[in-house]
Amino acid sequence: MRRTALLATVTALVAGALVWPAARQADAAPVTFAHPGVTVSKSQLDFARTKVNAGAQPWKAAYDQMMASKYADLNRVPKPRATVECGSYSNPNYGCTDEREDAIAAYTDALAWYITRDDRYAKKSIALMDAWSAVIKEHTNSNAPLQTGWAGSSWPKAAELIKYTYTGTWTNSGRFATMLRTVYLPEVIKGSNSNGNWELSMMEAAVGISVFLEDRTSYDKAIAKFRTRAAAYVYLSSDGALPKTVPSQNLDTTAKIVNYWQGQSTFVTGLTQETCRDFTHTGYGISAISHIAETSRIQGEDLYGTDVGERLRQALGFQSKYQLGEAVPSWLCGGSLTLGLGPVTETGYNALHNRLGIAMTNTQKLTEQNRPSGSNNLFVAWETLTDGDNPN
């Protein structure tokens, strides 16, 4: 993290008037990409490995959970398809679950390799990535953009660890890169005008893929779309009477905005565009925001020191409060919330509370209560292990 950004943040906190600076004129990709650099860095991995080897908690429990999961099974048989067809609510589901879970397994095996140095896990991760890169050509049907975003978020995390930490060979790494460039990136970089979690997950995939491909152009494009969408996903009172919008959606009246925000007409800091839909989808959006901010931090840009960090902090706190059981007021979602935030708080909590020293009472309680956080079986996995109270 840049010292100046950290100093400015701490100074503002001490003064009791934290005001996040405006977005930079241009969020430029790094001149030289850091590797491994998609959501987790080498120093973070080394910290986790040291803690696991020492039997320290919560990292050892998180590691044990990961290793006992189906994703770490060395007998796993990949199920690649040339065409993955995903309809609304997984109907039809032709390869959708298989693709997402094989991608999570590849990442799981890569993490297992890094911590154990048992090259069976690296080879298994490679086998899963090779199986898909040899076969897949396209994603189709209505959920194709979201499916590509979910699977495309996990693949580069696995590939970064293998390419930049495994001491053996990965002969088909070039073919895997071609798969990311031709099958995944074109689908996600376009963005989406659906519910905000779609575009946030798609930009998470686009950012991660861009890091692995060292593609500065697509990185810049993805970050720009992300900044616009994050501002339109989490409301801050400083936004004004109404939430910010994504221009391409033409939400140009109060009625349209209220309808898009699931019928919610009272806007308070920390509310998200999908809070009144359900907390599960809200969690997808929050998680993607934290993942992109973390990847950007590793790549040398402090998005936590912009409105992105404040939106993430407030979204985590607002949702955590109700997830922990606080009574729902009548003005919020008609007085009823559908809970189920998921294992999505570790990354943002660690960045904002542990690194920046910001008090996050509700988020801290929920995070610690949910440890070890596990996987949502879509695109989130093992973040107590990689991010839990990690100072790096």
Side-chain angles (χ1 to χ4, degrees):
M1 176 162 298
R2 296 190 179 107
R3 292 178 182 273
T4 53
L6 178 58
L7 180 60
T9 300
V10 173
T11 301
L13 280 167
V14 172
L18 180 57
V19 179
W20 297 93
R24 293 185 346 196
Q25 286 297 104
D27 295 299
V31 174
T32 303
F33 285 95
H35 302 290
V38 178
T39 73
V40 290
S41 66
K42 186 177 185 301
S43 60
Q44 286 175 284
L45 292 165
D46 288 341
F47 174 86
R49 183 171 187 257
T50 297
K51 291 296 186 181
V52 169
N53 289 338
Q57 301 297 354
W59 305 277
K60 181 59 165 60
Y63 166 78
D64 289 343
Q65 176 194 45
M66 179 182 80
M67 297 304 287
S69 75
K70 62 184 178 181
Y71 299 114
D73 184 0
L74 289 170
N75 294 314
R76 183 181 188 87
V77 178
K79 299 177 181 178
R81 286 173 177 257
T83 298
V84 174
E85 182 179 357
C86 307
S88 182
Y89 295 98
S90 298
N91 183 26
N93 180 346
Y94 298 138
C96 314
T97 301
D98 293 336
E99 179 190 28
R100 293 193 306 265
E101 295 195 350
D102 277 350
I104 292 174
Y107 175 54
T108 301
D109 289 326
L111 283 174
W113 142 255
Y114 197 89
I115 291 172
T116 65
R117 295 301 196 268
D118 182 340
D119 70 355
R120 292 180 301 163
Y121 290 102
K123 290 176 179 177
K124 189 62 180 181
S125 181
I126 289 170
L128 291 164
M129 290 189 283
D130 283 355
W132 280 89
S133 70
V135 173
I136 190 167
K137 299 298 181 187
E138 63 178 350
H139 297 84
T140 64
N141 215 316
S142 58
N143 266 30
L146 181 61
Q147 171 71 18
T148 311
W150 281 343
S153 294
S154 296
W155 286 131
K157 291 195 291 187
E160 281 280 300
L161 291 187
I162 295 300
K163 184 172 181 179
Y164 293 101
T165 74
Y166 180 46
T167 51
T169 57
W170 181 13
T171 304
N172 293 312
S173 62
R175 187 179 73 194
F176 185 83
T178 297
M179 176 193 80
L180 293 181
R181 183 176 294 283
T182 61
V183 178
Y184 290 83
L185 188 57
E187 183 72 37
V188 295
I189 200 66
K190 294 180 293 187
S192 168
N193 286 326
S194 184
N195 281 300
N197 81 86
W198 278 49
E199 186 163 85
L200 289 167
S201 290
M202 291 163 71
M203 290 311 105
E204 177 184 344
V207 168
I209 290 168
S210 297
V211 170
F212 183 71
L213 297 177
E214 298 193 326
D215 186 330
R216 300 181 77 250
T217 299
S218 62
Y219 183 95
D220 287 346
K221 185 173 182 179
I223 290 292
K225 281 185 177 292
F226 164 68
R227 293 295 298 270
T228 299
R229 176 60 70 175
Y233 194 71
V234 182
Y235 176 79
L236 298 178
S237 60
S238 57
D239 294 337
L242 295 170
K244 291 181 178 293
T245 62
V246 175
S248 60
Q249 293 191 260
N250 299 312
L251 300 174
D252 51 6
T253 68
T254 299
K256 288 180 181 179
I257 292 172
V258 168
N259 181 66
Y260 187 59
W261 281 63
Q262 319 297 325
Q264 177 70 11
S265 58
T266 301
F267 301 103
V268 297
T269 292
L271 182 79
T272 81
Q273 182 254 315
E274 295 185 275
T275 297
C276 294
R277 179 186 184 187
D278 59 62
F279 272 28
T280 300
H281 287 88
T282 297
Y284 299 163
I286 291 173
S287 182
I289 291 171
S290 68
H291 291 165
I292 294 171
E294 192 67 9
T295 296
S296 297
R297 181 190 71 88
I298 295 166
Q299 299 304 326
E301 181 181 6
D302 175 26
L303 288 182
Y304 292 117
T306 72
D307 73 298
V308 171
E310 180 69 347
R311 291 180 197 280
L312 177 59
R313 177 174 81 94
Q314 296 290 354
L316 283 168
F318 187 86
Q319 267 63 221
S320 292
K321 175 174 62 177
Y322 294 109
Q323 185 67 41
L324 287 167
E326 182 161 319
V328 183
S330 59
W331 57 262
L332 178 61
C333 309
S336 177
L337 292 170
T338 302
L339 303 179
L341 192 61
V344 302
T345 64
E346 287 278 14
T347 302
Y349 168 72
N350 185 58
L352 296 165
H353 175 73
N354 293 326
R355 293 201 199 105
L356 291 179
I358 301 171
M360 299 176 71
T361 305
N362 290 316
T363 305
Q364 179 173 0
K365 183 176 180 180
L366 182 63
T367 300
E368 293 176 350
Q369 178 179 295
N370 287 344
R371 286 177 171 169
S373 60
S375 175
N376 71 351
N377 303 311
L378 298 172
F379 69 105
V380 178
W382 324 126
E383 292 180 3
T384 297
L385 175 63
T386 57
D387 294 79
D389 299 338
N390 194 319
N392 297 287

